[in-house]
Amino acid sequence: SANTIYVVPPHTFASMAHGAIVLRRAESGGRPDHPIDDLFRSLAAALGRRAIGVVLSGTANDGTDGLRAIHAAGGVTFVQDPTTAQFDEMPRSAIAAEPTTTVLSPMQIGDRLGRPVPVGAPA
C-alpha cells in the first residue's frame, strides 16, 4: 500500500506474489540467507519498472543482487552514501555491483521517495 512501511519479523522471508506481500518462516528456524535479495528479486519480477529498492547501512552484501534485479527490470534503485552509514559494507557492495544506482544520504533518499516519478523517468 502507498505510504506504508512493512517490517519483516525475524527469521522470516518476505516476497511479493500476486500483488501481496507474502511471509514465510526460514526452514531452519534460523536467520534467512539474503532475505533482502529475495524480496527485491520478487519485487523486480512482480513490478518491473515500478519497483524501487533501497539499501541502507548494514554488513555483508545482502541487497546487492536484488538491486541488480530491480535495475535490470527498469526499476529505480537507491543506496545510502557509505560515508553516512554506520555500517558501510552493504552500501559499498551495492554500489560496486550496480554503479548506476543513485547514491544519497538517507534524508535525500526520503526526499526522492516522497516525489512522484513518472514511469521510465530517471530518479
Side-chain angles (χ1 to χ4, degrees):
S1 299
N3 301 314
T4 302
I5 296 174
Y6 296 94
V7 178
V8 179
H11 313 291
T12 305
F13 285 99
S15 61
M16 176 165 262
H18 308 291
I21 299 291
V22 176
L23 301 178
R24 64 183 168 80
R25 299 283 291 167
E27 288 181 24
S28 65
R31 184 174 178 193
D33 289 334
H34 299 274
I36 299 168
D37 283 329
D38 291 343
L39 174 61
F40 284 179
R41 281 192 289 265
S42 74
L43 292 174
L47 301 174
R49 296 184 334 188
R50 295 179 299 137
I52 299 173
V54 179
V55 168
L56 299 172
S57 175
T59 59
N61 63 353
D62 193 15
T64 296
D65 289 339
L67 277 190
R68 192 180 294 130
I70 289 173
H71 184 264
V76 177
T77 59
F78 295 100
V79 175
Q80 179 177 359
D81 181 339
T83 65
T84 68
Q86 181 176 3
F87 303 102
D88 67 359
E89 289 178 47
M90 280 175 54
R92 287 189 189 286
S93 175
I95 292 165
E98 192 53 65
T100 59
T101 194
T102 303
V103 179
L104 301 167
S105 72
M107 184 171 287
Q108 292 169 316
I109 292 171
D111 289 344
R112 287 283 186 94
L113 292 174
R115 263 193 270 148
V117 177
V119 173

